[in-house]
Amino acid sequence: MFRDIPLSGEELQFVVEKVLRMFSKLDLQEIPPLVYQLLLLSAKGSKKTVLEGIISFFNQLDKRQKEEQRVPQSVDLEVATVPLDQLRHVEGTVILHIVSVINLDQDLSEELIRHLKTEQQKDPARALCPFSVALLLSVAVKHRLQEQIFDFLKTSITRSCKDLQFLQASKFLQDLFPQQYDVTTVILEVVKNSAFGWDHVTQGLVDLGFSLMESYEPRKPFGGKAADTTYGLSKMPAQQACRLGASILLEAFKVHEPIRSDILEQVLNRVLTKAASPVSHFIDLLSNIVVSAPLVLQTSSSKVTETFDNLSFLPIDTVQGLLRAVQPLLKVSMSVRDSLILVLQKAIFSRQLDARKAAVAGFLLLLRNFKVLGSLSSSQCSQAIGATQVQADVHACYNSAANEAFCLEILGSLRRCLSQQADVRLMLYEGFYDVLRRNSQLASSIMETLLSQIKQYYLPQPDLLPPLKLEGCIMAQGDQIFLQEPLAHLLCCIQHCLAWYKSTVHLCQGAEDDEEEEEDVGFEQSFEEMLESVTRRMIKSELEDFELDKSADFSLSSGVGVKNNIYAIQVMGICEVLIEYNFNIGNFSKNKFEDVLGLFTCYNKLSEILKEKAGKNKSTLGNKTTRSFLSMGFVSTLLTALFRDNAQSHEESLAVLRSSTEFLRYAVSVALQKVQQLEETGQTDGPDGQNPEKMFQNLCKITRVLLWRYTSIPTVVEESGKKKGKSISLLCLEGLLRIFNMVQQLYAARIPQFLQALDITDGDAEETDINVTEKAAFQIRQFQRSLVNQFSNAEDDFNSKETQSLIIVLSTLSKLLDPASQQFLQFLTWTVKICKENALEDIACCKGLLSLLFSLHVLYKSPVSLLRELAQDIHACLGDIDQDIEVESQSHFAIVNAKTAAPTVCLLVLGQADKVLEEVDWLIKKLTSLGSDTSEDSSQASNQTQALEKGVILQLGTLLTVYHELVQTALPAGSCVDTLLRSLSKTYAILTSLVKHYIQACRSTSNTIPARLEKLVKLSGSHLTPQCYSFITYVQNIHSESLSFAEEKKKKKKEDEAAAVSTVMAKVLRETKPIPNLIFAIEQYEKFLIHLSKKSKVNLMQYMKLSTSRDFRINASMLDSALQEHNTEDAENEPDNDQSSTADQTDENQEPKKKRRRKK
């Protein structure tokens, strides 16, 4: 009706507002047709009002619905509101109506985006609610707007993540913003809501998911390995956005059947086409998709088989990830499995090395996952498949025969690989143990294969030294020499398989045939005799037997050197494998442990020679230690035995190993190497290296031992008898530091169990309710004691490296404390006390302690008062810029002393002040957006505005007193002066934006400015601006002194010093660059103060002193001396005077720089 009546703008606005008010009184089913009519009416105008009204109405309904779900009792009290499914269907219909009208009226879509953008600036929670996001995604299907909408959503998501990160890092901000808005939960809610027949939203969701994953994918550093984020928790906003994209796609896959094949196809395509860049995030998504519904994927199996055809062209990491991801599908679909086998069999004969490695990886995966009937169940390693429907194995009817034939056929193919390159063989040796453990029926085949392989290199004669043919392991091609057979890896594989075989198969041999048993015993006996013989002969062997004595050539430039390096690494590996073997079978017998020490002596000699040669050659090998062959499980057993085993019966045999400090240090350093490998790759070499559960258990055991060793034996005691290398205690501390850091990255969800495992007192306690803060506080106390001991040591015993590590350990553990807890407050108080009482002169330790103090203080309250005290200490330490003034010494922090005050403490204080400025800047932006908000909740908004204004002004007021101290301090030329000048410019810029905010506030309302602001302006006028000008003069004097000193030098040594002088001049030019910017910032501030004075009718300029005229200055002392010396002429003073006067002429911001450069 109203569409046909001619209406003026105001009348139309009145009609629209009236209709929107009626929404709440209508039945829900009647709203969609009314919305449609309203939208058609909006063609005449008031588009913004219509859209805003519709979005806020449904936003309110959603909120009410959520409240009811949260508090179900309230339904009895009120009239029960709309049922959820009915509300969702109505919302879906309304969205369809809006989209159909937008198709007719393009201006409406632009108005929608414009409206949401402005809302988002003011209140993101109102702009991006589930309804508006769903609406945007539906509109985005129109390609004309897709890019614009996705850009808006992506910036909103990253901004929301950044804001959350910003808020979590500061208690001051959390107090001002108790409710935190998280856009990720809103978007995931849209996915959940879309299950109610919102088909028009799904395409937009899928596109957004992929767009997020591609825009914020892990970056590959230049020439390096991609920074993989799958192991750690995502901390950065970009990583969180990428993770959100994956969550959207996974949830959409679960909810919407029609788009499943589309999502799968797109994920697979990206894995193939983006092979050069990191694709781990897509592989993780694929893995989650497959686990969520392997049977559903059978319908899309053709897409998976197409992907297999390209396996041989993909990097090996991608292949392994991809096969692991689709592995549950192989158990369900015979056709997928068969096509994979065909592809892998072709790849084994490929020319490309990567293709052959891919084939080996694929075959090993198949062997691990297809059980032969009668294999022992190995529950701890069988991969769980999420869907219950797969538990009935599809090919169970011919499991026994088919699987065995199938596995033996694969083993046949793999045997061929044992004659290929070292890389291919290496993969096999590393994979056989896992296959054996999951498929015990293949034991005899695998053991026979390994036996025939080792016999090629083993010399059976009992007196021959060395016991293995090393020359058979290398191959020459022209001038180059390659490793052909990784012999140490082969032995390592044999040792692990044999150990597993003896411990497991013997338990279940009762039911087996006698013949088979004899055959099995045959190879078991052969292996044992062989390993025994190799051990005996390796201990007898001298390095000369391997041609690897001190006189050997180890340079990597010659063929002989390369060969010797390969031999050395193989011999060291063999020694390590035999150490593990003999320790495990020795059962704490003294003779076996003497053998272990004998093997270690051989290993250590070689290791020392390699280190020595590498040091001389300055080659890369020096820094790169060879990877240890010991397994993580063995390292944890060995460390526990060496340091924690108190059994009487073991004492004599363990004394053999404990007598060698070198061996103890070696055991700890290998543990460190394993922890580092786990941190970098998420897994370690050796058996169970890829089993997260076992790795976690071993890590707990290692940490327990290292912690006990470090806290029980102080470094000082140990170092007295130390010859060279790091002490064991220091190595333990380094290991603990790595472990505490890594557990928070890799095992964040299991931190309670980790801390529980460290607490030796109640190791067997129930894992019901572990208080992380209490447990972490207990560990912190141990390290606090060690740190206090360090500080109380005599100066000669003070170990800087250890103190630094202790401080980093404490700051890592402090992240586990709840900032609201008593323990956190105690730790903060202790840290303040340490900084106040210890006059620490070591710069690195001082830096660490202050950083720890700031990081804790920020989570308790704003650190501005702390900064003021530190600034006063710096001022007292370094003296005033006016040498006649004596600063009263009121030392708050002993850590600020002559050695540390500048640049260390000064730069840290300025860095922290900059962070506070960032917070204030963020708050002022929020204030401005709140100020422009003229909605119904104006009283609530004004209360919040007042709280924010108070917070901003108090922060800035205290910061001004910090700068007041620093600009009067005689700072040395260099980074401190430079940073301070930049920081001051930033302060004035933020003061200016605050003044602009009040100018805006005075425009929109007739408010008077608060007294607080007047005080702040007064403070800046009396305590900062005049001092800034004095400081600038001081800086210029320093620089002119350094220039005149350089000039004198130049006169003495003419040409030689010309270059030195030009570098001094360039340095002065660089360091005085921030001065004009600072003066410009001060003058801008004063300019806007004049504006505000006019607007508010309050004379704020009365607090500002007239700024120094920088065009022309008379230096009184220079004038006096000039008058006294009559023989000096005016002309001599002119250049200098000119130079200082034009240095900072500030009529325009850019001019001074240009003038100065021309002059020079």
Side-chain angles (χ1 to χ4, degrees):
M1 179 181 83
F2 287 110
R3 280 161 63 198
D4 303 329
I5 301 172
L7 294 168
S8 68
E10 285 150 22
E11 288 170 337
L12 181 63
Q13 184 77 5
F14 173 76
V15 170
V16 167
E17 284 174 3
K18 175 72 178 165
V19 174
L20 287 170
R21 280 201 299 277
M22 294 304 294
F23 273 14
S24 52
K25 298 185 175 65
L26 290 172
D27 182 20
L28 201 59
Q29 295 296 346
E30 295 169 1
I31 287 175
L34 182 58
V35 165
Y36 185 64
Q37 294 304 326
L38 250 186
L39 289 165
L40 292 177
L41 179 63
S42 71
K44 289 184 165 190
S46 298
K47 290 185 172 63
K48 184 181 170 214
T49 318
V50 172
L51 289 169
E52 190 175 0
I54 296 168
I55 290 170
S56 64
F57 172 70
F58 282 107
N59 192 9
Q60 291 305 320
L61 277 182
D62 279 345
K63 277 184 185 166
R64 205 176 310 150
Q65 189 78 37
K66 241 191 244 164
E67 282 301 317
E68 276 176 25
Q69 284 174 347
R70 204 176 298 136
V71 193
Q73 303 92 316
S74 65
V75 180
D76 308 334
L77 306 173
E78 297 173 19
V79 181
T81 52
V82 195
L84 180 66
D85 54 345
Q86 192 185 341
L87 172 62
R88 295 284 171 256
H89 287 304
V90 167
E91 285 179 342
T93 315
V94 168
I95 290 173
L96 268 180
H97 283 327
I98 298 177
V99 173
S100 63
V101 175
I102 280 177
N103 289 343
L104 303 171
D105 182 1
Q106 296 292 352
D107 295 344
L108 191 62
S109 58
E110 279 155 21
E111 187 57 60
L112 171 70
I113 295 168
R114 201 177 307 124
H115 161 65
L116 289 177
K117 277 184 178 171
T118 50
E119 275 294 306
Q120 209 250 356
Q121 294 296 330
K122 299 176 200 168
D123 181 7
R126 237 182 29 214
L128 289 178
C129 56
F131 180 78
S132 61
V133 171
L135 175 57
L136 277 176
L137 291 172
S138 304
V139 175
V141 179
K142 292 283 158 205
H143 289 290
R144 198 177 69 81
L145 295 165
Q146 188 173 30
E147 200 174 322
Q148 204 179 346
I149 289 173
F150 280 2
D151 284 347
F152 169 59
L153 284 172
K154 283 191 288 196
T155 49
S156 302
I157 289 164
T158 45
R159 186 179 297 165
S160 165
C161 295
K162 277 178 191 162
D163 283 358
L164 273 175
Q165 206 178 18
F166 210 54
L167 282 165
Q168 282 160 5
S170 162
K171 183 77 170 75
F172 165 67
L173 291 180
Q174 285 167 23
D175 291 343
L176 290 172
F177 287 94
Q179 289 179 320
Q180 298 175 2
Y181 166 72
D182 185 6
V183 75
T184 52
T185 49
V186 172
I187 292 180
L188 289 174
E189 208 173 303
V190 174
V191 184
K192 202 169 72 187
N193 295 350
S194 67
F196 293 91
W198 292 8
D199 295 340
H200 44 279
V201 180
T202 50
Q203 191 53 50
L205 277 171
V206 172
D207 293 344
L208 176 67
F210 280 114
S211 178
L212 282 170
M213 286 185 82
E214 287 178 332
S215 306
Y216 303 108
E217 62 191 2
R219 293 274 170 260
K220 190 173 186 178
F222 180 69
K225 188 175 168 286
D228 205 337
T229 57
T230 45
Y231 306 125
L233 274 179
S234 52
K235 294 285 192 298
M236 305 307 292
Q239 290 171 359
Q240 287 171 328
C242 180
R243 199 64 57 92
L244 171 66
S247 306
I248 291 171
L249 291 169
L250 179 62
E251 294 306 312
F253 184 89
K254 289 177 183 172
V255 172
H256 298 282
E257 211 164 305
I259 56 168
R260 282 177 179 169
S261 59
D262 181 35
I263 292 178
L264 182 67
E265 188 173 357
Q266 290 202 49
V267 171
L268 289 171
N269 286 345
R270 280 166 171 80
V271 170
L272 293 178
T273 53
K274 289 178 167 284
S277 58
V279 288
S280 55
H281 52 308
F282 284 116
I283 286 177
D284 288 343
L285 173 61
L286 180 65
S287 174
N288 291 333
I289 284 175
V290 174
V291 168
S292 71
L295 278 185
V296 175
L297 282 178
Q298 268 194 288
T299 52
S300 310
S301 57
S302 58
K303 293 188 174 62
V304 180
T305 50
E306 278 171 34
T307 313
F308 289 158
D309 295 339
N310 297 296
L311 275 187
S312 49
F313 305 110
L314 295 176
I316 184 70
D317 292 341
T318 308
V319 172
Q320 285 179 313
L322 183 64
L323 291 177
R324 261 200 299 273
V326 299
Q327 179 253 317
L329 189 58
L330 300 176
K331 292 202 167 185
V332 188
S333 169
M334 289 296 292
S335 60
V336 173
R337 194 183 83 176
D338 293 343
S339 66
L340 175 63
I341 291 169
L342 277 174
V343 168
L344 294 177
Q345 280 181 333
K346 275 186 200 166
I348 263 189
F349 298 104
S350 165
R351 280 179 165 191
Q352 267 71 36
L353 178 63
D354 265 2
R356 295 201 295 278
K357 282 164 80 174
V360 171
F363 277 143
L364 286 171
L365 182 98
L366 287 169
L367 284 178
R368 278 204 298 273
N369 288 299
F370 286 88
K371 287 215 159 165
V372 178
L373 197 68
S375 285
L376 305 168
S377 66
S378 170
S379 56
Q380 73 272 21
C381 53
S382 61
Q383 182 158 351
I385 299 174
T388 47
Q389 69 264 40
V390 185
Q391 284 174 355
D393 206 344
V394 175
H395 43 275
C397 51
Y398 53 95
N399 230 343
S400 57
N403 273 358
E404 185 160 12
F406 164 68
C407 289
L408 290 173
E409 184 191 341
I410 290 178
L411 268 177
S413 300
L414 288 178
R415 278 199 192 99
R416 296 194 195 111
C417 299
L418 288 175
S419 57
Q420 294 192 4
Q421 280 93 335
D423 282 2
V424 180
R425 299 183 192 194
L426 196 66
M427 285 189 74
L428 269 178
Y429 298 151
E430 286 177 348
F432 270 155
Y433 174 82
D434 262 349
V435 171
L436 197 63
R437 202 188 53 175
R438 297 193 189 188
N439 233 337
S440 57
Q441 282 298 85
L442 299 174
S444 52
S445 308
I446 288 177
M447 298 301 249
E448 288 296 340
T449 306
L450 291 171
L451 186 60
S452 62
Q453 189 71 7
I454 190 74
K455 276 183 177 171
Q456 297 173 32
Y457 306 97
Y458 172 65
L459 299 166
Q461 296 87 331
D463 301 327
L464 260 185
L465 297 180
L468 297 161
K469 279 190 284 195
L470 285 178
E471 55 276 8
C473 298
I474 57 169
M475 186 178 89
Q477 264 186 6
D479 296 343
Q480 290 184 304
I481 291 179
F482 299 102
L483 174 68
Q484 175 71 8
E485 174 66 73
L487 193 57
H489 281 90
L490 173 59
L491 261 183
C492 186
C493 176
I494 288 172
Q495 182 248 318
H496 288 310
C497 290
L498 188 63
W500 177 86
Y501 184 80
K502 283 160 74 176
S503 65
T504 318
V505 177
H506 281 188
L507 303 175
C508 315
Q509 255 177 359
E512 291 187 5
D513 296 340
D514 292 343
E515 305 152 34
E516 200 175 315
E517 204 169 309
E518 278 170 30
E519 181 194 319
D520 288 358
V521 169
F523 69 69
E524 189 183 324
Q525 202 174 342
S526 305
F527 276 134
E528 283 180 348
E529 285 169 4
M530 189 184 290
L531 287 166
E532 180 60 41
S533 165
V534 171
T535 301
R536 205 178 55 250
R537 288 190 273 164
M538 283 296 282
I539 295 168
K540 283 184 192 168
S541 298
E542 294 293 326
L543 292 182
E544 286 80 2
D545 296 330
F546 299 106
E547 301 171 11
L548 292 176
D549 51 2
K550 281 195 174 179
S551 58
D553 172 21
F554 285 99
S555 69
L556 292 176
S557 49
S558 68
V560 178
V562 171
K563 183 190 80 167
N564 286 342
N565 267 305
I566 292 174
Y567 279 3
I569 288 167
Q570 291 304 312
V571 171
M572 284 163 72
I574 290 163
C575 287
E576 284 193 305
V577 171
L578 294 172
I579 286 173
E580 183 167 341
Y581 173 73
N582 284 292
F583 187 96
N584 285 339
I585 64 162
N587 198 11
F588 292 94
S589 82
K590 192 175 176 187
N591 294 343
K592 281 292 175 200
F593 282 6
E594 280 166 354
D595 287 353
V596 166
L597 214 54
L599 288 163
F600 173 69
T601 311
C602 173
Y603 169 89
N604 204 34
K605 278 184 199 163
L606 251 183
S607 168
E608 291 299 318
I609 291 175
L610 275 183
K611 274 183 198 162
E612 194 183 308
K613 299 280 183 184
K616 280 180 189 167
N617 298 345
K618 296 277 184 293
S619 73
T620 50
L621 256 172
N623 339 348
K624 195 177 163 192
T625 50
T626 48
R627 264 202 191 160
S628 171
F629 279 78
L630 303 185
S631 64
M632 182 85 161
F634 174 67
V635 171
S636 66
T637 312
L638 178 64
L639 282 178
T640 312
L642 290 176
F643 295 123
R644 302 287 288 138
D645 192 332
N646 300 322
Q648 201 71 42
S649 54
H650 298 167
E651 199 170 325
E652 189 189 354
S653 53
L654 280 171
V656 174
L657 296 180
R658 287 171 179 165
S659 62
S660 163
T661 321
E662 285 296 326
F663 185 69
L664 297 178
R665 185 177 301 144
Y666 159 76
V668 176
S669 55
V670 170
L672 247 77
Q673 194 192 85
K674 292 286 166 193
V675 169
Q676 185 176 354
Q677 194 187 358
L678 188 60
E679 184 178 27
E680 287 168 2
T681 62
Q683 55 191 48
T684 61
D685 297 333
D688 296 322
Q690 294 178 3
N691 182 334
E693 183 53 44
K694 286 274 175 68
M695 285 300 104
F696 180 70
Q697 288 166 8
N698 289 328
L699 194 66
C700 290
K701 274 173 79 176
I702 289 174
T703 315
R704 223 176 14 235
V705 176
L706 296 184
L707 195 58
W708 177 87
R709 176 67 176 70
Y710 179 72
T711 47
S712 342
I713 304 177
T715 325
V716 185
V717 177
E718 189 185 334
E719 283 193 332
S720 51
K722 193 192 77 166
K723 293 179 186 123
K724 59 182 175 178
K726 286 182 183 171
S727 69
I728 295 176
S729 281
L730 209 54
L731 280 172
C732 288
L733 183 60
E734 211 172 289
L736 289 167
L737 172 56
R738 268 190 184 285
I739 291 169
F740 289 141
N741 207 6
M742 178 182 67
V743 168
Q744 291 184 32
Q745 294 290 321
L746 235 70
Y747 298 105
R750 306 198 56 183
I751 286 172
Q753 290 88 320
F754 174 73
L755 291 171
Q756 177 83 355
L758 297 194
D759 204 345
I760 301 154
T761 50
D762 60 355
D764 308 321
E766 286 289 308
E767 280 193 19
T768 46
D769 188 27
I770 302 167
N771 184 333
V772 173
T773 297
E774 271 178 28
K775 297 272 181 203
F778 173 73
Q779 298 304 337
I780 283 174
R781 281 196 292 280
Q782 301 201 53
F783 290 104
Q784 280 176 318
R785 279 196 286 278
S786 306
L787 189 60
V788 170
N789 291 341
Q790 274 297 333
F791 287 137
S792 53
N793 283 344
E795 214 167 289
D796 307 340
D797 290 338
F798 178 75
N799 185 332
S800 168
K801 184 89 181 74
E802 184 175 356
T803 310
Q804 284 173 53
S805 299
L806 277 169
I807 293 166
I808 301 170
V809 166
L810 283 169
S811 62
T812 309
L813 285 172
S814 71
K815 291 173 191 160
L816 301 175
L817 296 175
D818 173 16
S821 65
Q822 195 57 39
Q823 288 91 335
F824 183 86
L825 187 56
Q826 284 166 354
F827 184 43
L828 172 60
T829 318
W830 177 85
T831 312
V832 172
K833 186 167 172 273
I834 286 284
C835 292
K836 285 192 169 180
E837 291 173 4
N838 289 290
L840 193 61
E841 293 196 337
D842 185 275
I843 285 173
C845 295
C846 165
K847 208 172 186 173
L849 256 184
L850 277 178
S851 302
L852 170 64
L853 176 62
F854 288 145
S855 67
L856 293 171
H857 208 289
V858 167
L859 294 172
Y860 174 62
K861 64 174 188 188
S862 174
V864 279
S865 51
L866 181 74
L867 292 176
R868 181 172 56 199
E869 290 181 356
L870 284 164
Q872 286 167 351
D873 289 349
I874 294 170
H875 192 184
C877 254
L878 297 176
D880 199 275
I881 50 177
D882 185 347
Q883 289 165 1
D884 303 337
I885 295 175
E886 206 169 300
V887 187
E888 59 175 295
S889 179
Q890 41 171 3
S891 177
H892 302 99
F893 288 90
I895 200 168
V896 183
N897 49 51
K899 274 197 177 173
T900 58
T904 313
V905 180
C906 180
L907 286 177
L908 280 168
V909 167
L910 286 171
Q912 197 58 37
D914 271 356
K915 284 180 185 166
V916 177
L917 283 174
E918 273 173 35
E919 288 176 10
V920 170
D921 192 29
W922 186 80
L923 282 175
I924 293 173
K925 282 178 186 151
K926 288 277 173 205
L927 264 177
T928 314
S929 62
L930 278 173
S932 59
D933 192 0
T934 53
S935 60
E936 313 85 75
D937 321 330
S938 52
S939 61
Q940 187 190 341
S942 70
N943 290 344
Q944 194 181 4
T945 305
Q946 282 174 4
L948 291 183
E949 285 174 353
K950 182 182 174 184
V952 165
I953 290 171
L954 286 175
Q955 291 288 84
L956 281 173
T958 322
L959 268 186
L960 290 186
T961 58
V962 174
Y963 287 119
H964 169 69
E965 294 290 340
L966 291 177
V967 288
Q968 295 182 81
T969 307
L971 294 171
S975 56
C976 286
V977 170
D978 194 39
T979 314
L980 179 56
L981 288 170
R982 288 178 203 284
S983 197
L984 284 166
S985 302
K986 201 183 281 183
T987 309
Y988 276 108
I990 285 169
L991 281 168
T992 310
S993 54
L994 181 65
V995 170
K996 283 179 183 170
H997 161 70
Y998 278 107
I999 293 174
Q1000 189 64 37
C1002 286
R1003 260 189 214 137
S1004 53
T1005 55
S1006 56
N1007 284 351
T1008 54
I1009 58 168
R1012 268 196 218 97
L1013 179 71
E1014 221 172 313
K1015 280 184 187 167
L1016 182 69
V1017 172
K1018 185 178 180 181
L1019 190 67
S1020 69
S1022 61
H1023 276 60
L1024 196 57
T1025 310
Q1027 283 79 356
C1028 278
Y1029 282 120
S1030 316
F1031 186 66
I1032 289 169
T1033 311
Y1034 162 76
V1035 172
Q1036 286 178 330
N1037 289 342
I1038 301 178
H1039 291 319
S1040 58
E1041 277 170 26
S1042 63
L1043 272 178
S1044 56
F1045 179 66
E1047 288 289 339
E1048 279 172 29
K1049 261 191 171 180
K1050 190 178 179 181
K1051 284 172 190 168
K1052 285 178 191 169
K1053 299 181 183 175
K1054 293 273 193 257
E1055 281 80 21
D1056 307 345
E1057 292 299 315
V1061 174
S1062 62
T1063 54
V1064 170
M1065 288 171 80
K1067 190 179 170 198
V1068 168
L1069 192 66
R1070 190 172 62 248
E1071 287 176 355
T1072 50
K1073 210 174 181 180
I1075 294 176
N1077 296 343
L1078 172 58
I1079 294 162
F1080 176 71
I1082 295 174
E1083 290 177 352
Q1084 282 292 96
Y1085 170 55
E1086 290 175 359
K1087 172 182 147 186
F1088 282 100
L1089 271 182
I1090 295 169
H1091 281 305
L1092 183 58
S1093 300
K1094 285 177 185 167
K1095 284 269 184 296
S1096 64
K1097 311 287 187 291
V1098 178
N1099 181 15
L1100 295 169
M1101 288 307 289
Q1102 63 184 351
Y1103 308 118
M1104 293 289 153
K1105 297 196 173 64
L1106 193 64
S1107 59
T1108 314
S1109 167
R1110 313 202 57 75
D1111 297 354
F1112 181 72
R1113 282 179 296 170
I1114 296 177
N1115 191 325
S1117 57
M1118 276 175 73
L1119 189 65
D1120 288 345
S1121 61
L1123 289 170
Q1124 283 163 14
E1125 298 173 19
H1126 291 292
N1127 55 349
T1128 56
E1129 293 178 18
D1130 295 357
E1132 282 176 28
N1133 274 334
E1134 255 176 45
D1136 268 289
N1137 199 25
D1138 232 18
Q1139 178 194 348
S1140 67
S1141 69
T1142 53
D1144 286 299
Q1145 197 168 5
T1146 56
D1147 292 342
E1148 283 295 322
N1149 185 24
Q1150 295 303 321
E1151 262 189 346
K1153 297 184 197 173
K1154 291 181 189 166
K1155 285 189 179 177
R1156 187 170 56 202
R1157 279 181 192 153
R1158 268 210 304 276
K1159 188 84 187 159
K1160 291 178 181 178

